[in-house]
Structure formats: C-alpha cells, structure tokens
Amino acid sequence: MPGKLKAKIVAGRHLPVMDRASDLTDAFVEVKFGNTTFKTDVYPKSLNPQWNSEWFKFEVDDEDLQDEPLQITVLDHDTYSANDAIGKVYIDIDPLLCTEAASVISGWFPIYDTIHGIRGEINVLVKVELFNDLNRFRQSSCGVKFFCTTSIPRGYRAATVHGFVEELVVNEDPEYQWIDRIRTPRASNEARQRLISLMSGELQRKIGLKVLEMGGNAVVGYLQCFDLEGESGLVVRAIGTACSLEKLSSGSILNTHTHPNTAPASNACNSPSKDGKESPLAHGCRSTHNSPVHSACSSQRLSQNFSISVPTLIFTGMGSGGSAGKEAGPLKTLLRQQTQTALEQREFPFFTLTSFPSAFLLHVGGVVNARSVKLLDRIHNPDEPETRDAWWEEIRQEIKSHAKALGCHAVVGYSESTSICEEVCILSASGTAAILNHRYMREGCLDIGSTDHRFEEPSPPTCGFCHIPYDELNMPFPAQLTYCYHCRRQKVPDVLFTTIDLPAEAAVTGKGCHIQARLCRLKKKAQGEVNATAISNLLPFMEYELHTQLMNKLKLRSMNALFGLRIQISVGENMLLGLASATGVYLTALPAPGGIQIAGKTPGDPSNEQHILTIQKRINDAIAKNKELYQINPPELTEEGVGSPIPEPRQRSRLFRSHSESSDELSELDLSHGKKDAFVLEIDDTDAVEDIHSLLTDANPPIGFYSCNTETMPGIYNWTSGIQMFTSVRILRLSNTNLTNQGLNKIFTDLCENLLKSFYFKLRSMVPCCLCHLNFTVAVPEEELIQVAVTAVAMTFDKDQTQEKLAEKLIPKGGSDTDEQLQFPLELCADSSNSQPSSKISGVPESTNISSRAASVDYGSFADRCSTWLELLRLKAHTIRRGSVKTSRRTQSLAHSVSSLEHSSPLPEGRSRSLRSSRSFGGSSVTVVKMTPLSFLPGTRIIKYLGIINMFFIRETTSLREEGGVSGFLHSFIAEVFAMVRAHVAALGGNAVVSYSMQDCVLMENPNKNQAQCLINVSGDAVICVRESDQDSLASTTTIGHSCSSTTDVTT
Amino acid sequence: MSVELDVFVGNTTIMDEEVYQLWLDGYTVTDAVKVRMEGGVLDECEANADVVLSDTMDQYRTFHMCERLLHSPAKLANQLLYQITPHRQTILIERYYAFDDGFVREVLGKKLSKGTKKDLDDISAKTGVTLKSCRRQFDNFKRVFKVVEELKGPLVENIRHHFLLSDKLAKDYAAIVFFANNRFETGKRKLQYLTFQDFAFCAGQLINNWTVGAVAGPDSFVDNMVEDMDVDLDKEFLQELKELKILITDKDLLDQHKSLVCTALRGKTKTFNEMEANFKNLSRGLVNIAAKLTNTKDVRDFFIDLVEKFIEPCRSDRWTAADMKLYLTHYTNSVHILDTFKHQIVWDRYMGVIKSCIFKMYHD
C-alpha cells in the first residue's frame, strides 16, 4: 500500500441550468480512482454550489497512481429519473508523485463534457502521500521526471545523458468495439478518453522503468503520439532521451537565459579587426547538386504483414575528411573511440534533444531519414504489441546505418511520426547524424571540470559542429568541401541540413528565415498491397523534389544551412502531401552559396533566350533583395580579396598545407570549379517552369516580421516580453475533380502562403515580432480535403536594441583572438556551477518573493466584498502596465477606469452586501497562464518545473449548424482545450506552459447529418516562471537582464 | 476549391477594436470587410482581401462566442475559456453596453417590452442604426432593467457593480431604467429638440432628489433599504407638493412673491417687462406641475408640462439663458422671505430639481 491519494471537492461555479422548471441545478460530485468511488452530498438549487466535502481517501499502489487519472464527475440529482451528468474532469496526478514537482493540485477546473464542451467549473484539492517502497520488483517508476522540452531544462544540469528510450502500448479502440453500437456517443467518447489516459499513464510508467534501469532520473524531449489505426486498434507510443539531471541551486539560473540572448558569435567574424582570413568573395562554391536521394525498395515481405520499407536518405553537406588538424589528430581519434564505445553499447544511439549543452555536439553530418509503408492488421493480442515494435525497430536500424554511413555514431534531433489512411500506414523517422562529446555519455563523469577542456578539440564551438564528421576519402558521394571559413582548419560542406536547433554558440551572418517546400502528388485509388506499393514508389520522388525545392529556396535567400528540418509526408486516398519546413541561416563557417542559373534546353530560339534572361534577372534581383532583407553580408576580408577572385583551390591548399593532412585531395573535389557558382535549373519542361514560379512566388514576411520554425530566430537576441501563442487550422475542399499535380501544388502552396499572410495580418499589432516554432502539420482527412494545422508563438523584440547590442558585442569580441573565443564557451559551462553561489545570494530572496506573487492566485477566496475584487483588478492593471510594450495610451484609459472603480470602493459594507448576486462575481480572478511551444519565455526565467501536461480530448456535436458550422465547432473546441490546459497548470501552481505542442488534431465531419467529431492531443511542461526584469534592482543580476549571456556569464 | 474550415485561436484572445465596433454596429461580415478595406487595412502587412475576410470571420466568431459572457459581465473576469486581459475586458464590456444617442432617444421612457421590440425595425429605419445593433442595445436596456429591478440599494451603484460599467455609462443606464420605470413621455414633437443627455441629466436630478433613496441621504440608507428606492419617486414628497398650491391660490402670497421677485430683477435684465407680465402665469405653471405629480399620468407628462408651461412661454419672450437663471434663482429664493409660507423644505427640494432641469432643457 505505498500511496494515499486524497481529494476534496470544494465548490462549483457557473454550472449549467439542469432543471428548466427552477432554472437551477441540484449538483453533486462523484470522485473515482481505480475502482473506488466516493460521492459528495447534493447541493440543492444552486448554480454555484459549495460542497466543501470531507477528504476522500484512496489507498492505492503507486503503479496505479501512475497509470490512472483521478476522475471527477459532476451530476445533477434527479429524484424521479436517472441523474444527469453535467461533465467530467480528469486530473493526472503524476506531477504529485515527483518530489521536486508540484506538491498539491488546487484550483478551478473546467467541467468538460464531450458533447456540450465546458459547462461550469469545479474547485478541487488533491494531495498524495507516498510511503517508502521496499519492493525490489516494483512496477512503478515514481519519481522519474518527464520533460517535453527538447533541451536540458533550465535550472538543471545534465550529469549524464543515457540515451534513447521508447515504448509503445496498443489496445482496441473503444470506438470500434461492438458495444459502441448500443451506447451513446458520450459514453463512447468517455470510454476512449479514459482508455487513452490510462494508456499514456502506463506508457509513461514503463518508460520511467527503463530510465531507472539505465540509472537515469529523467526523460527529456519526451514525445508521445497516438496512432488511431481504426479497426486495427489504438497505439500510443513515446520516445525520449533518458538523462541524469541535477538541479542547479535555485539562485543560479545564469544559463537559463542563454538561448534567447546568446551573443551571436558571428559578430566576431563580422568584426573587421579580425584578420588572416580569406576573402569569402569566394562565392566559388558551386554546387551542381548531386542527387541526394538514395532510394531502394527493399524487404518486401508479402505475408499477412505486408510491408515495404523505403529507405530514403538525404545527405546534405556531403564532404570528405574526418581528418583533423595536425595537433588535434590523435586526440580526436582517441576521443572518438571513447565516445563510440560508449555509444555502441546502446542499441540506438538516438537523442530526441534538439539543442545541447555547449561542447556536447562536436560534429554534424546531415539529415538522416527513413520511411516505411505498412499495411495495418488487427492487433490480436494487446499485451504483445510485437508487430508495431518490430516495425519501429526496423526503421531505427535503418536510421542507425544511415548515420554510420555519414561517419557518425549518434543521431540527434530524432523524431518519429506516422500517417495513416485506411489500412495503409507510413512510418517515418528522421534525425541528424552527429558526433557527440563522450563526456556526457560516461557515467559518473559529472564534473565538467576545466581539466577536461584540454582534451577538447581545437575547433571553436562557433564552427566546430559544421566540420565534417565523415571520412573524406571514403565518402560515398561526391561533394564540395572547403576549409572552414571561420577557423580555416577543417573541412566543411557547402550546405548543411539538420533537424536540430541552431547551436547557441554558432556563428551566423545576418538573420534567418522560415523556408518551406510543399508538394502534392496524385495517386490512384487502390487497395491493400497495390496501394502500399504505389505509395512506396512515390515516396522517393517526393523526397527528392522536396529536397530540390528546399535547396532552391535556400539559395534564393542566399543562405547555406537549414535547421529544424521537418519533412512530413501525409497519405490520403488519392494523393500524397509533402511538406518540408526548416529555418534557413547563413553559417559563417560555410562557404557562400552560389546563385541559381537558368538554362534553356533550346538555346537557338531568341524569344526563349529572352524569356530565360528575364527569369534569370528576376532570380538575381530576388537574391540581392533577400540578402539585404536578411542582412547577409558575409565578412569580406580584404587581403586576398578582390584581385584573386576565388580562393583558388591550389592556392588555398597551399595555404593550408601545413595544417592539413588531406589537402591534396582538394583539387579533385574542385573539379567543377570552372563552371562557377551556378546551381543550374533547366527550363525544359513545365515542371521546371512551375518550380521557378513557386520559387519566386514565395512572399517574404512583411516589414517588421520574421519567422522561423526553430526555438529562436538566428540573428535576433533581445526579446521583449510580448508573446502570443496560437493555433490555426484550415481545411480546403478541392471541388475540381480533374486536378493535375501542378494544379494541386499551386493550391497547396497558396494554402500555406495564405495562412502565413493571415498570421502576419492578425499579429500586426505586435510588430516588430518574430513567429517562432512555426509548426505546420498537414493531413488529408478525407478525399478532396487538405488540412493544415499550425501552432506557433509570436514574440516581440526590441528593434533598436539590436544595434546597440551588436555594437556592444563587437567591442570586446572584435579584438579577441581565436583562442579566447575558443575558451569562452567552455568557461561558460564550467562557470554555470561556479557562479551559482554568488548569484544565489542575491537571487533567492527576490525570486521566492516573486514566485509567491506569481503563484498566488487566490482561487479560494470568494470574497463577497467588491473592494477585494477591485484590489485584484488594480493589481492586474498594474501588471499590464509593466508587462505590455507600447500601451501608454491604453494604460491611461485603464488607469482611468481603475480609478473610477476605486471611487466606488469605499462603499459602506451594508450597501455592497445588498447586491444580491455578488457571489457570482466574487473575489476570485483567473491566473494568466502563458503558453509557448518554445522551451523558454522571453524576459522571464523558469524557477520550477511542475510536471508534464499530456491531455487528450474528444469533442462531438450533433448540432453542427447551431454551433457555427465546423469552424465554430473547432474554434470553441480549441479554445476549450487551451482553457483546460491553463486550468491544470494553474492548479499545479504554475503560470506558464513551455514546449507546448498539439500532436494531433483529427477532425471528422458530416454536415449532412449535422455532426462532427474532433480529437485533440496536447502536451507541454507546466512551469513557474518569474519576470527577469523584476530583478533589475539587484546589481548583480541587472546585467543578466540585459544579458548578452556570454559576456555576463564570464563576469559574474 | 473552397475553404471548408478556417480558425485561428490565440492563447490570449485576439480582438481588433475596429472589428469589434463593426460587429457591435451590426455590420455583416461582407460589409465589415468592405469597410475595413476602404479604411486602408490592406496597406498594413501586405494583406489581401482573403486575409481580411478570414480575419473578420474569425473575429466575428470570437465576439459571437463571447457575447454570452458579456450578458453578465462579472463572469468575464473569472471565466476560464478566454484569456482576456482586464484592460481588454473593460473595453469589451464598455463598448458592448455603449449605445447610440439617436436610438436611445427613441425608446427612452417606453416600456421595455416585446411590443417595443417589434417596433425596432421602424426605429432602425428612422435612426439609421442597424436592426442588429438596435436589438443589442434594446436587450441591454432590458437586461439592466430586469437585474436592477429586483435589487435593493442605489441604482447607479447597482448597475456599476453588476455590469462593471464606467461611472458615466452607469449613470446613463440609471437614467434609462428610471425613465422606463416611470414611463416619462419623451416622444412628443415638442420634446424632440431635447437630447438624451438632457434627459439623462434630468433623470440624475430626479433620482438624487425626489426618490425614496434621496431622502435617506447617503449615510443613513443602511437602515432603511427599500426596494426600488432610486427608481420610484418619493410618494410622501409628491403628496407634500400639493401644499405648494398655496403660492398661487393665496392671492396675497402670489402678489407678495411677485413683488419680491420683480424688485430683485428690476434693471438687471432686458426682458424685465415680459417677466413681470408673465410672472403669475409662469408661477402658476410650475406650481401646478408640482401639485399634479401624485397622478402617475401627470408624472409621465412631467417634461412635456415643463416645456409647455414654462420653457415655451419664456422662449417666445426671448429670454436668454442668463435671464432664465436670474429669474429662477430669485423666484426660488424669494419664497424664503414669505413669512406665511410654511413649506420651505418641500419648496427647495422641488425647485432645486426644477431649476437645474430647466437650465439644462432651455436651449434650441
């Protein structure tokens, strides 16, 4: 009996009218956990009942505590007929099982009904008492912390990163059971919600066990997904990265802010005082692109378990030469061996993280990607989900071998996804092949002491990750390699694609931008194996085209690297949709991208010639314009500059001979050099014309806007506190039945572009701002429907400060030589532990102070007195005044309204008591809960992680028209989901959700029957955060507030 | 190809004030889009017509869903569904309850019943306010009326606390409720020149001086909390007003009063002769109004009587506003010197209101 769960039902408010006669409700509550149920008394005739129940106690195993949710049902008592359900609240008590997370759940929860939506609120108090568990064979994994965040959570330090954990559980979908024919939609929806809640609890527990086995205490980058396989069942699967986390003492959140504020190391390069560099006028890097897709249809097992694996693999930034600089050579090999052995012990050296502690990531190879088409089959035995396991195993093996081919021993930024249409399922996995620092792998190596640094490779972290990890000589693909434009010591590829976030210390020129490739391919309708084969035949071509589009768009923007690349392929009955999103940047370390050259097939024709010329001009203009827009002015160094046009291969190899063992190879690689910098597009058919058009029709964001799909925008460092998270869904019906691929492409492209335009327009009041973590999800919910769902956050930044900061930065950094730069991030990580005490002293009292204010949302106080309410209002008003960016006018009017209210507050008590329904607007107010898909909130620091939020909701309606059609239906459902997430976070004592994401949004409609159903799955990390600016008064932390993390970190 | 579904939901509910106003004004989505585009919204952010349409639909949907909450504004502050900053909430409520002076002028003093609601299309046609907006405004009046009708305590405070309105708006609503309750006639042609604000001012005067709540005074009302204390006129007071009749029925008193007033006015105004000539008429008019107020019917005609019996004669004699002020001041104060007149308190309570009402109403 290792745990006691206690729940208390306090009160309800805003309940719906259940008794038409009296316009009131006789409400009571059932509290259920496992098989035990308690009931409160009936609170008669009230829409705001005060139950104030006793503590209901459940004595349970901790295994159940992890799996089961607390289920609260609000009902209307009916003397003569059955009691009517008003709605339910499911409370995941997992956060209470962790000592470091929340200690109590207390607050107002929306009462949710799958048919009617939110119907009032209920105030609940939940506590857990855990006893010591002496059972050695325990099944629970209480105490393992889960984070959705795909980086080491702020305020923690990764002592060891253990590696990949995965698990999946399967079950029959209640919606497809025979009993569903006789039960109500409500009962069916609730059965499904409950089952999924149970399954994800079980999944989390099992993953926790694996983590404990590995010796870890946390899962970072936890990603849970549902596969609604219809008839064949319901799969809940999750992946994550097991870590041993150590909490940094509460005051020392120095590096919490690194991300948004990290100084652009690029400045160092931009600085003119830096000498000894070659002229990057060397736009000499041509890339006639080698077909990047290597596809082979393999392993067709045509048994009842039909499966086609489509191993596609994108190598970008191919190159050669893992050989290091002279001095570093032997050491590097040694390091690599160590790391390799550490990693090879693991089955899958995968990491779901997308950003890493500094010095963790040594080299990045490129994106690895695997897909496989499967035919679904009924899951016969839910307890042994072997087939699904085997499928994923296959794919992971493939990914692993791809990574090996790139000379890498690990895959970072790893993720998995599925797309299901009827019985066909595409499984996809992708990640970035990389070489990692062994330090974090070794167990017991908690100390990031300075001694370790000596073993560090001499590649500066600003460019080190760009250096190729694979062997120059054994490269399976021809590629263009050059010496790193930053350190000049090692080879880098001409282009780099990755699925991770831009490393904080990376050197970047200019700003980044959101780049998207979109593609539609028609497909014949078919069944079974024929269908699966058709799909798998199409996949390689789609990948290839998406890749080409990305490449073209990247070059058009004059950039040379992609981060956060995510390629989705969605399958529908008669088409496949492909969407690749990424954030393009200009990495200072990589060569400047070449232009795009247009070539015609028939050179003789003068009119054609003319046409080509105009297109060429338009493209060149676009490139020039983009360069200006994204401020891409790569450092042009004078020495070898203008006169000698290109760093001629010979010359260069001579120059670096002393440093490099393999420079002789260089001349071979530069074979195509004579052709100069063209990425040639041939206009030989309509396809190419389409390509060029789509290339040029992509609109840049309007002035004042930037966008990216990564955590932060490269080139923007000074976020202000304005933030707006949003979800937008658009569905297009294709009425035209005879669509061509081109027509479809255009429609799909317009859909995405228009969505972006809508966002810019809606958020125009936030300018200057950046849309971060733009996450597009495409689906083909039905024949002739295309659905695009987007979740992103808009964040404001201070335009003026940018310049100041850059200037500030340039001064200290400009003069510094490479050595200093090199050490500096290392110091940074060493410092994170050293500097704790100093800042702790100053930080602690203030932060507790703030947190208590932030978290003190007095839900309980039903103050009847208006004065309290006014007090709160005034407090809030105050908050706004501090928080908002540019509301001097508004603030005035607000101040006015407040003062007018203030006026009324000195009311004699009697008078205010006389207000009959004062209770309905009692003293409670609602906590503001911020939500963001990012792992941080600008201008604040996270002082506590309260646990993972993982919620699944179903909403159904049989009065679609009355609810405003599908748009009205989904609009209110999404708003309800947000509200429930916020309420749960607030009840945990939090004021924000970070790393929020909407994994699923499945909408089914039947307008003829006036019906619709929608499933939404969301997750994120509940946190308490405090405003950074609140610390301004403290001298030591002021600098952090302004925070150019690197400089300040060193000084503090 | 058609857009089947298009939604945008922010964690903090996004509301454009311009679109909100268009929605409140009862524009259809199509019209609102037209207005916005003409207003130059396309120049912002490189938008196009589709974008504006999509945005407008989204906003309209949001407002529509919030409307339920706006019906009991106190709920807006502690509901969980929409995260709206308090500042925004204040704007939403204030604007939702704002009304067109033209519209309110039409329904002022009418019974807020279904019958009146049926006439809204006529009013809409007459005032140029869209029917939808008329309905919202009418329903607002009715809602406020219904809620405060059952409440004890001061009218303006009740409205302000229940509907979280600004001081100004709460007072206006108090006027509307007061007029609707007492069914004051405001629609006659002779009253057409008066604006809503004129009436609202007068209503304020009446509420503050002639109701039950007014007698209790601001400090002592705790003890005698009465229902409708601010909505119904003080019956006792109305009864006492009959006593004022002596000022016109007693010949001596009337003459004495006249001579006192005339002495004071002589030489101070150009219209002295007209004042002197009309004194008895005017005085009779005002005192008769007072004496008849016990009749509900005459209460309804209060404003029309004031205009017919007092304002119109003065206007035809071309009194200036200053003349009016001078005259009424002396007319009121002179009564204090009349030894035989015993109803000074009632007189002051009556004339205080009459004086300020007439000042307000005496314009073109």
Side-chain angles (χ1 to χ4, degrees), chain A residues 519-815:
Chain A
L519 189 67
C520 273
R521 279 289 166 267
L522 288 167
K523 163 185 98 60
K524 284 212 178 75
K525 269 194 228 175
Q527 295 290 311
E529 295 178 13
V530 185
N531 194 20
T533 317
I535 292 169
S536 62
N537 286 341
L538 271 172
L539 287 179
F541 294 102
M542 293 193 69
E543 300 239 18
Y544 175 75
E545 277 194 44
L546 285 170
H547 186 268
T548 315
Q549 263 190 48
L550 282 175
M551 206 63 154
N552 284 338
K553 289 184 177 177
L554 188 67
K555 285 184 181 295
L556 192 73
R557 286 171 180 81
S558 199
M559 294 175 182
N560 57 19
L562 287 181
F563 287 89
L565 177 63
R566 193 162 155 255
I567 304 174
Q568 285 174 77
I569 295 202
S570 248
V571 58
E573 261 183 86
N574 59 347
M575 66 173 124
L576 287 171
L577 284 183
L579 184 71
S581 310
T583 300
V585 287
Y586 186 104
L587 285 176
T588 318
L590 302 194
I596 298 170
Q597 207 167 68
I598 306 293
K601 256 276 161 75
T602 48
D605 187 354
S607 68
N608 200 15
E609 206 81 324
Q610 189 56 41
H611 179 59
I612 286 169
L613 277 178
T614 30
I615 295 182
Q616 182 72 57
K617 187 171 178 308
R618 277 176 65 197
I619 288 186
N620 291 347
D621 287 351
I623 292 179
K625 208 182 119 208
N626 282 331
K627 268 192 182 174
E628 200 176 311
L629 184 63
Y630 300 110
Q631 296 158 20
I632 296 170
N633 320 300
E636 300 187 3
L637 299 158
T638 42
E639 294 214 356
E640 283 136 291
V642 200
S644 56
I646 298 309
E648 262 185 55
R650 301 257 165 231
Q651 195 184 342
R652 213 198 303 166
S653 59
R654 227 178 296 129
L655 193 72
F656 286 96
R657 178 148 291 159
S658 57
H659 299 289
S660 169
E661 298 159 1
S662 56
S663 48
D664 293 331
E665 257 68 50
L666 206 65
S667 52
E668 273 176 37
L669 289 165
D670 281 337
L671 277 178
S672 55
H673 189 239
K675 255 192 140 186
K676 273 289 171 78
D677 54 356
F679 183 63
V680 183
L681 278 180
E682 287 197 340
I683 310 191
D684 47 357
D685 56 8
T686 44
D687 266 12
V689 176
E690 279 298 317
D691 285 350
I692 292 165
H693 273 292
S694 72
L695 201 59
L696 289 166
T697 47
D698 269 18
N700 282 314
I703 296 157
F705 274 106
Y706 289 96
S707 57
C708 63
N709 77 334
T710 46
E711 282 256 308
T712 46
M713 178 71 170
I716 295 177
Y717 306 98
N718 37 14
W719 302 105
T720 45
S721 54
I723 119 167
Q724 170 67 274
M725 190 281 291
F726 61 86
T727 290
S728 180
V729 183
R730 212 171 264 197
I731 297 181
L732 217 59
R733 182 175 288 281
L734 311 165
S735 48
N736 191 346
T737 40
N738 312 320
L739 277 168
T740 57
N741 277 336
Q742 276 87 23
L744 265 175
N745 275 345
K746 173 125 183 25
I747 289 170
F748 185 38
T749 302
D750 287 350
L751 174 59
C752 296
E753 285 286 316
N754 284 337
L755 263 172
L756 284 169
K757 275 186 196 150
S758 278
F759 301 157
Y760 297 137
F761 181 74
K762 287 226 183 249
L763 301 162
R764 64 194 184 285
S765 65
M766 292 179 79
V767 159
C769 92
C770 178
L771 301 187
C772 292
H773 215 285
L774 262 175
N775 187 4
F776 279 65
T777 315
V778 290
V780 190
E782 263 175 57
E783 207 179 323
E784 298 186 341
L785 289 187
I786 299 181
Q787 173 185 325
V788 179
V790 186
T791 298
V793 62
M795 302 203 293
T796 55
F797 58 90
D798 192 334
K799 206 159 198 180
D800 300 330
Q801 271 183 24
T802 314
Q803 266 81 40
E804 270 172 44
K805 270 219 181 115
L806 285 174
E808 260 170 44
K809 265 321 162 36
L810 281 171
I811 300 156
K813 285 199 97 188

Side-chain angles (χ1 to χ4, degrees), chain A residues 13-14 724-725 727-731 733 735 762 764 911 915 917 921 929 931 967 971 979 982 1005, chain B residues 1-2 4-7 9 11-12 14 16 44 55 61 65 74 78 80-81 83 154 158 162 221:
Chain A
R13 67 180 181 194
H14 306 160
Q724 170 67 274
M725 190 281 291
T727 290
S728 180
V729 183
R730 212 171 264 197
I731 297 181
R733 182 175 288 281
S735 48
K762 287 226 183 249
R764 64 194 184 285
R911 214 164 228 224
L915 302 172
S917 56
F921 57 93
V929 175
M931 288 164 74
S967 293
H971 191 137
R982 287 194 301 257
E1005 48 159 337
Chain B
M1 191 188 67
S2 59
E4 179 92 2
L5 175 151
D6 180 16
V7 297
V9 190
N11 182 37
T12 308
I14 294 185
D16 184 314
E44 297 175 57
D55 179 57
R61 205 159 42 227
M65 291 194 286
N78 61 10
L80 303 178
L81 194 51
Q83 191 155 279
N158 280 347
H162 256 270
F221 64 87

